[in-house]
Amino acid sequence: MDRHTLRRVRLCLWTVTAAIMCLTVVYLNVLSEGKTRVVKRSLLELDLTEGTASPDGKGGEVLFFNRVPKSGSEMLVLLISWLQSRNGFRHYRLPGGRAGNDRRLSTQRQEEVVSTINEIKSASTVPTSFDRHIYFTNFSSYGYQNPIYINLIRDPVDKMISRFYYADLKKRKEAQQFEECVAAGAPECRFINGHLYDLAIPYFCGHEANCSQLNNRDALERAKSNVEKYFKVVGVLENLNETLSVLERSLPRYFRGVQELYFNELQKMKYNKNKNNPRKMKESTRRKLESSLKLEYDFYYFVKKRLLNQRRWKN
């Protein structure tokens, strides 16, 4: 091979190599663009919780009730369902979340929920609301606007009692008293620090494992921070009057007329009343449980104080 031929071969090889490198760079850029997440501020941060449209111009507002179980959530969902025609919005009940192991989701399943909500929102010409038992999900992690979050909690021990008797009716043939279950040290009535439980805090903290760990201080602080940042209203079942008042005044687009509806319609139905009337628990047993659920109570009183402050501000 003469010198000129060798030079042409080298030039050809260099050209092919350069082309491959360019194609590789283009491919990597496209791939990275597909994975880029644009962090968007929540509607609450933008103070657009009562505007006519979201910043991207698609659909209207989005309300998300990521329901804490056994805390009056079915009652509130019923009220929301009744109010949608009166107030001109559309409510959707998302599938899933009925079982305790279907509330803490993988990243992929979180993204599926977020995408579903945004697809419905984009196709809607009116404000939309959704509900599901699911731990707090940060929509901006997946490139979407966070919705207006709301929730409802209750006294942690009373919540455990309600859950126990609900499971008792579904699974057990013979009725058992919650206090007997606690005394026997049964798994469903025993709370151990560091173990994972489906309590209230994960619904405000998130899907990470430590969010479900009992009495995890980091989980508590993150839950409090998320409440302030993303949740317009977190109600308290023991303060239902204040809860309905704050909902109606803070989010009239969705909750205008909710107090009248509750007192004139729902209360007459004696909705969701427990007819089993379990025996009153000994004070010593309650104190033992309250001690085991120490940070759950810290969060409960934090939310209660915030709610009562909102009520005073609104008045």
Side-chain angles (χ1 to χ4, degrees), residues 8-286:
R8 285 196 296 270
V9 169
R10 287 175 176 173
L11 180 61
C12 183
L13 288 173
W14 182 89
T15 303
V16 170
T17 301
I20 291 173
M21 291 177 66
C22 288
L23 288 172
T24 301
V25 170
V26 170
Y27 173 77
L28 290 175
N29 284 337
V30 170
L31 189 64
S32 64
E33 287 176 3
K35 293 184 177 181
T36 298
R37 304 298 186 193
V38 179
V39 177
K40 297 183 178 181
R41 298 173 69 191
S42 68
L43 295 178
L44 196 59
E45 290 177 293
L46 291 168
D47 195 26
L48 292 173
T49 56
E50 281 297 315
T52 57
S54 59
D56 59 12
K58 297 179 180 179
E61 296 174 359
V62 180
L63 183 79
F64 192 16
F65 180 20
N66 66 317
R67 306 157 46 202
V68 177
K70 311 315 297 176
S71 300
S73 63
E74 284 293 344
M75 170 203 65
L76 188 55
V77 168
L78 182 58
L79 288 169
I80 292 172
S81 298
W82 286 353
L83 287 166
Q84 61 179 324
S85 60
R86 298 186 182 191
N87 292 337
F89 67 93
R90 183 74 184 274
H91 184 70
Y92 297 87
R93 305 211 69 180
L94 296 176
R98 298 293 177 181
N101 60 359
D102 195 27
R103 298 162 186 173
R104 179 183 168 220
L105 305 181
S106 65
T107 300
Q108 179 180 345
R109 294 189 63 199
Q110 290 177 59
E111 188 164 16
E112 290 171 1
V113 171
V114 171
S115 297
T116 297
I117 288 176
N118 278 277
E119 286 171 6
I120 295 172
K121 166 205 166 187
S122 296
S124 177
T125 57
V126 297
T128 51
S129 65
F130 302 83
D131 78 88
R132 177 184 164 165
H133 292 309
I134 184 175
Y135 295 167
F136 172 74
T137 305
N138 193 334
F139 283 47
S140 69
S141 298
Y142 305 98
Y144 292 99
Q145 202 83 42
N146 269 297
I148 307 163
Y149 268 102
I150 64 166
N151 217 317
L152 182 63
I153 67 172
R154 73 185 299 185
D155 179 281
V157 171
D158 290 340
K159 175 175 176 287
M160 292 301 101
I161 294 172
S162 177
R163 173 175 283 184
F164 173 81
Y165 286 109
Y166 177 74
D168 187 66
L169 288 172
K170 292 182 66 177
K171 299 177 182 178
R172 304 185 184 100
K173 294 181 180 180
E174 296 182 4
Q176 182 186 18
Q177 292 295 322
F178 182 67
E179 193 160 15
E180 296 169 359
C181 180
V182 174
E188 64 267 33
C189 304
R190 182 178 59 197
F191 302 99
I192 303 172
N193 284 345
H195 285 213
L196 304 185
Y197 295 96
D198 181 43
L199 301 175
I201 286 177
Y203 291 85
F204 304 88
C205 175
H207 299 266
E208 293 80 0
N210 72 321
C211 286
S212 300
Q213 287 179 342
L214 181 63
N215 292 327
N216 183 295
R217 179 64 63 177
D218 290 339
L220 170 67
E221 296 306 323
R222 187 187 304 178
K224 289 180 178 180
S225 175
N226 285 340
V227 166
E228 296 286 16
K229 191 172 183 179
Y230 300 109
F231 286 79
K232 184 74 170 180
V233 180
V234 181
V236 176
L237 189 60
E238 289 78 15
N239 296 87
L240 188 56
N241 290 353
E242 291 86 352
T243 296
L244 296 178
S245 174
V246 172
L247 282 170
E248 184 161 5
R249 292 171 182 240
S250 299
L251 295 164
R253 184 178 300 280
Y254 295 96
F255 291 101
R256 184 179 293 108
V258 68
Q259 295 176 87
E260 179 186 0
L261 191 62
Y262 173 77
F263 291 111
N264 293 340
E265 302 293 336
L266 191 61
Q267 205 173 47
K268 292 179 182 178
M269 296 170 54
K270 297 182 179 179
Y271 181 76
N272 208 23
K273 297 290 184 181
N274 188 344
K275 299 179 181 179
N276 293 322
N277 295 321
R279 293 196 306 263
K280 187 176 180 179
M281 185 187 301
K282 291 179 182 177
E283 195 64 25
S284 59
T285 304
R286 175 173 280 276

